Amino acid sequence: MKAKLNAVHDDDLIALLKKLNILEKIKNGEVKCKFTKEIITLDNLHSIFPEEGTIKVVCDTPEAIKSLSEYINEKNL
């Protein structure tokens, strides 16, 4: 089974975050990683995905990336 992966170019990231209404929250330190609870910044943002009608974000720590991979496999995403 092939997985579908959507990607956003760095040049389009700010526009996407604005559209999702989370850019200002990230700039204000109000968004935390789903897995590590680390505060998300524009520099440590790794992934964005929908979950139960909300937007979740993942930081770029190895722990968070591993947890994201396990989560994707577990949920069959």
Side-chain angles (χ1 to χ4, degrees), residues 45-76:
L45 176 63
H46 179 273
S47 300
I48 305 167
F49 64 96
E51 180 183 65
E52 299 176 2
T54 63
I55 300 298
K56 300 296 181 182
V57 293
V58 181
C59 69
D60 63 359
T61 64
E63 175 188 351
I65 294 167
K66 180 179 182 228
S67 294
L68 175 62
S69 177
E70 291 169 351
Y71 179 83
I72 288 170
N73 288 331
E74 177 184 305
K75 298 290 184 180
N76 229 2

Short mmCIF file of all heavy atoms in Angstrom, two decimals, residues 45-76:
data_model
loop_
_atom_site.label_atom_id
_atom_site.label_comp_id
_atom_site.label_asym_id
_atom_site.label_seq_id
_atom_site.Cartn_x
_atom_site.Cartn_y
_atom_site.Cartn_z
N LEU A 45 9.93 23.45 13.65
CA LEU A 45 8.73 22.81 13.11
C LEU A 45 9.11 21.73 12.11
O LEU A 45 9.83 21.99 11.15
CB LEU A 45 7.85 23.87 12.44
CG LEU A 45 6.59 23.38 11.73
CD1 LEU A 45 5.64 22.73 12.72
CD2 LEU A 45 5.91 24.53 11.02
N HIS A 46 8.63 20.52 12.34
CA HIS A 46 8.94 19.40 11.44
C HIS A 46 7.73 18.99 10.61
O HIS A 46 7.84 18.81 9.41
CB HIS A 46 9.44 18.20 12.25
CG HIS A 46 9.75 17.00 11.42
ND1 HIS A 46 8.79 16.06 11.07
CD2 HIS A 46 10.90 16.59 10.84
CE1 HIS A 46 9.36 15.13 10.33
NE2 HIS A 46 10.64 15.42 10.17
N SER A 47 6.57 18.82 11.26
CA SER A 47 5.39 18.30 10.56
C SER A 47 4.12 18.95 11.08
O SER A 47 4.05 19.38 12.22
CB SER A 47 5.27 16.79 10.77
OG SER A 47 6.40 16.12 10.29
N ILE A 48 3.13 18.95 10.19
CA ILE A 48 1.79 19.45 10.50
C ILE A 48 0.80 18.41 9.98
O ILE A 48 0.96 17.94 8.86
CB ILE A 48 1.51 20.79 9.77
CG1 ILE A 48 2.58 21.82 10.09
CG2 ILE A 48 0.12 21.32 10.11
CD1 ILE A 48 2.53 23.03 9.17
N PHE A 49 -0.19 18.07 10.80
CA PHE A 49 -1.19 17.13 10.32
C PHE A 49 -2.52 17.34 11.04
O PHE A 49 -2.55 17.85 12.16
CB PHE A 49 -0.71 15.68 10.47
CG PHE A 49 -0.50 15.22 11.89
CD1 PHE A 49 -1.50 14.53 12.56
CD2 PHE A 49 0.70 15.46 12.53
CE1 PHE A 49 -1.30 14.10 13.86
CE2 PHE A 49 0.91 15.03 13.83
CZ PHE A 49 -0.10 14.35 14.49
N PRO A 50 -3.62 16.96 10.37
CA PRO A 50 -4.93 17.09 11.01
C PRO A 50 -5.20 15.89 11.91
O PRO A 50 -4.77 14.77 11.64
CB PRO A 50 -5.90 17.11 9.83
CG PRO A 50 -5.20 16.28 8.79
CD PRO A 50 -3.72 16.54 8.98
N GLU A 51 -5.92 16.15 13.00
CA GLU A 51 -6.33 15.08 13.89
C GLU A 51 -7.63 15.49 14.57
O GLU A 51 -7.67 16.48 15.30
CB GLU A 51 -5.26 14.80 14.95
CG GLU A 51 -5.64 13.68 15.89
CD GLU A 51 -4.62 13.46 16.98
OE1 GLU A 51 -4.42 14.37 17.82
OE2 GLU A 51 -4.01 12.40 16.98
N GLU A 52 -8.68 14.74 14.30
CA GLU A 52 -9.97 14.96 14.93
C GLU A 52 -10.42 16.41 14.85
O GLU A 52 -10.85 17.01 15.83
CB GLU A 52 -9.95 14.47 16.38
CG GLU A 52 -9.65 12.99 16.51
CD GLU A 52 -9.52 12.51 17.94
OE1 GLU A 52 -9.70 13.32 18.87
OE2 GLU A 52 -9.22 11.33 18.12
N GLY A 53 -10.29 17.00 13.67
CA GLY A 53 -10.77 18.36 13.44
C GLY A 53 -9.85 19.46 13.91
O GLY A 53 -10.20 20.64 13.84
N THR A 54 -8.67 19.12 14.41
CA THR A 54 -7.70 20.13 14.83
C THR A 54 -6.40 19.92 14.06
O THR A 54 -6.20 18.90 13.42
CB THR A 54 -7.41 20.07 16.35
OG1 THR A 54 -6.81 18.81 16.65
CG2 THR A 54 -8.67 20.25 17.16
N ILE A 55 -5.52 20.90 14.17
CA ILE A 55 -4.20 20.82 13.54
C ILE A 55 -3.18 20.49 14.61
O ILE A 55 -3.10 21.17 15.64
CB ILE A 55 -3.83 22.14 12.85
CG1 ILE A 55 -4.85 22.50 11.78
CG2 ILE A 55 -2.41 22.08 12.28
CD1 ILE A 55 -4.95 21.51 10.64
N LYS A 56 -2.41 19.46 14.39
CA LYS A 56 -1.34 19.06 15.30
C LYS A 56 0.00 19.36 14.64
O LYS A 56 0.13 19.30 13.42
CB LYS A 56 -1.43 17.57 15.64
CG LYS A 56 -2.73 17.17 16.30
CD LYS A 56 -2.89 17.84 17.64
CE LYS A 56 -4.19 17.41 18.30
NZ LYS A 56 -4.41 18.04 19.56
N VAL A 57 0.99 19.67 15.46
CA VAL A 57 2.33 19.95 14.94
C VAL A 57 3.35 19.09 15.68
O VAL A 57 3.11 18.65 16.81
CB VAL A 57 2.69 21.45 15.07
CG1 VAL A 57 1.82 22.29 14.17
CG2 VAL A 57 2.56 21.92 16.49
N VAL A 58 4.46 18.88 15.02
CA VAL A 58 5.52 18.04 15.55
C VAL A 58 6.84 18.79 15.43
O VAL A 58 7.13 19.39 14.39
CB VAL A 58 5.60 16.70 14.79
CG1 VAL A 58 6.68 15.80 15.35
CG2 VAL A 58 4.25 15.99 14.80
N CYS A 59 7.63 18.75 16.50
CA CYS A 59 8.95 19.40 16.47
C CYS A 59 9.97 18.48 15.80
O CYS A 59 9.66 17.34 15.44
CB CYS A 59 9.39 19.79 17.88
SG CYS A 59 9.81 18.40 18.96
N ASP A 60 11.18 18.98 15.64
CA ASP A 60 12.19 18.24 14.89
C ASP A 60 13.15 17.42 15.76
O ASP A 60 14.20 17.00 15.29
CB ASP A 60 12.98 19.19 13.99
CG ASP A 60 13.75 20.25 14.74
OD1 ASP A 60 13.68 20.29 16.00
OD2 ASP A 60 14.41 21.08 14.10
N THR A 61 12.77 17.15 17.01
CA THR A 61 13.65 16.30 17.83
C THR A 61 13.55 14.86 17.35
O THR A 61 12.50 14.44 16.85
CB THR A 61 13.26 16.36 19.32
OG1 THR A 61 11.95 15.81 19.47
CG2 THR A 61 13.32 17.78 19.87
N PRO A 62 14.61 14.10 17.50
CA PRO A 62 14.55 12.69 17.10
C PRO A 62 13.42 11.92 17.79
O PRO A 62 12.76 11.10 17.18
CB PRO A 62 15.92 12.14 17.50
CG PRO A 62 16.82 13.33 17.46
CD PRO A 62 15.97 14.49 17.92
N GLU A 63 13.17 12.22 19.06
CA GLU A 63 12.10 11.57 19.81
C GLU A 63 10.73 11.84 19.16
O GLU A 63 9.92 10.94 19.00
CB GLU A 63 12.10 12.08 21.25
CG GLU A 63 10.95 11.56 22.09
CD GLU A 63 10.87 12.24 23.45
OE1 GLU A 63 11.78 12.99 23.83
OE2 GLU A 63 9.85 12.00 24.12
N ALA A 64 10.49 13.10 18.79
CA ALA A 64 9.20 13.46 18.19
C ALA A 64 9.04 12.84 16.81
O ALA A 64 7.96 12.34 16.47
CB ALA A 64 9.07 14.98 18.09
N ILE A 65 10.09 12.82 16.03
CA ILE A 65 10.03 12.25 14.69
C ILE A 65 9.78 10.74 14.77
O ILE A 65 8.98 10.19 14.01
CB ILE A 65 11.31 12.57 13.89
CG1 ILE A 65 11.38 14.09 13.65
CG2 ILE A 65 11.35 11.82 12.57
CD1 ILE A 65 12.73 14.58 13.15
N LYS A 66 10.42 10.08 15.72
CA LYS A 66 10.19 8.64 15.92
C LYS A 66 8.75 8.40 16.35
O LYS A 66 8.08 7.49 15.84
CB LYS A 66 11.16 8.10 16.97
CG LYS A 66 10.97 6.63 17.23
CD LYS A 66 11.95 6.11 18.26
CE LYS A 66 11.75 4.62 18.42
NZ LYS A 66 11.65 4.19 19.77
N SER A 67 8.26 9.22 17.26
CA SER A 67 6.87 9.08 17.72
C SER A 67 5.89 9.32 16.59
O SER A 67 4.87 8.62 16.49
CB SER A 67 6.59 10.05 18.87
OG SER A 67 7.35 9.72 20.01
N LEU A 68 6.17 10.28 15.74
CA LEU A 68 5.31 10.55 14.58
C LEU A 68 5.27 9.34 13.66
O LEU A 68 4.21 8.92 13.22
CB LEU A 68 5.80 11.78 13.82
CG LEU A 68 5.06 12.09 12.51
CD1 LEU A 68 3.58 12.38 12.77
CD2 LEU A 68 5.73 13.25 11.79
N SER A 69 6.42 8.75 13.40
CA SER A 69 6.49 7.58 12.53
C SER A 69 5.68 6.43 13.12
O SER A 69 4.92 5.76 12.41
CB SER A 69 7.95 7.16 12.35
OG SER A 69 8.03 6.00 11.58
N GLU A 70 5.82 6.20 14.40
CA GLU A 70 5.06 5.13 15.07
C GLU A 70 3.57 5.44 15.02
O GLU A 70 2.75 4.54 14.81
CB GLU A 70 5.54 4.98 16.51
CG GLU A 70 6.94 4.41 16.61
CD GLU A 70 7.54 4.49 18.01
OE1 GLU A 70 6.94 5.15 18.91
OE2 GLU A 70 8.63 3.93 18.21
N TYR A 71 3.20 6.69 15.22
CA TYR A 71 1.80 7.12 15.19
C TYR A 71 1.20 6.89 13.82
O TYR A 71 0.09 6.36 13.69
CB TYR A 71 1.73 8.60 15.57
CG TYR A 71 0.35 9.18 15.56
CD1 TYR A 71 -0.49 9.04 16.64
CD2 TYR A 71 -0.11 9.90 14.44
CE1 TYR A 71 -1.77 9.58 16.64
CE2 TYR A 71 -1.38 10.44 14.44
CZ TYR A 71 -2.20 10.28 15.53
OH TYR A 71 -3.46 10.82 15.52
N ILE A 72 1.93 7.25 12.79
CA ILE A 72 1.45 7.05 11.40
C ILE A 72 1.23 5.56 11.13
O ILE A 72 0.23 5.17 10.56
CB ILE A 72 2.43 7.67 10.40
CG1 ILE A 72 2.35 9.20 10.47
CG2 ILE A 72 2.16 7.18 8.98
CD1 ILE A 72 3.44 9.92 9.71
N ASN A 73 2.19 4.73 11.55
CA ASN A 73 2.05 3.29 11.35
C ASN A 73 0.88 2.72 12.14
O ASN A 73 0.13 1.87 11.65
CB ASN A 73 3.35 2.57 11.71
CG ASN A 73 4.44 2.83 10.71
OD1 ASN A 73 4.18 3.05 9.53
ND2 ASN A 73 5.68 2.80 11.16
N GLU A 74 0.74 3.17 13.38
CA GLU A 74 -0.34 2.68 14.24
C GLU A 74 -1.71 3.06 13.70
O GLU A 74 -2.64 2.25 13.71
CB GLU A 74 -0.16 3.26 15.64
CG GLU A 74 -1.25 2.89 16.61
CD GLU A 74 -1.06 3.59 17.95
OE1 GLU A 74 0.02 3.45 18.55
OE2 GLU A 74 -1.98 4.29 18.38
N LYS A 75 -1.85 4.29 13.24
CA LYS A 75 -3.13 4.78 12.73
C LYS A 75 -3.38 4.40 11.27
O LYS A 75 -4.41 4.69 10.73
CB LYS A 75 -3.21 6.30 12.87
CG LYS A 75 -3.13 6.81 14.29
CD LYS A 75 -4.37 6.48 15.06
CE LYS A 75 -4.30 7.07 16.44
NZ LYS A 75 -5.47 6.80 17.24
N ASN A 76 -2.36 3.79 10.65
CA ASN A 76 -2.46 3.39 9.25
C ASN A 76 -2.70 4.59 8.33
O ASN A 76 -3.52 4.53 7.41
CB ASN A 76 -3.55 2.35 9.07
CG ASN A 76 -3.09 1.15 8.29
OD1 ASN A 76 -1.92 1.07 7.91
ND2 ASN A 76 -3.99 0.23 8.04
#
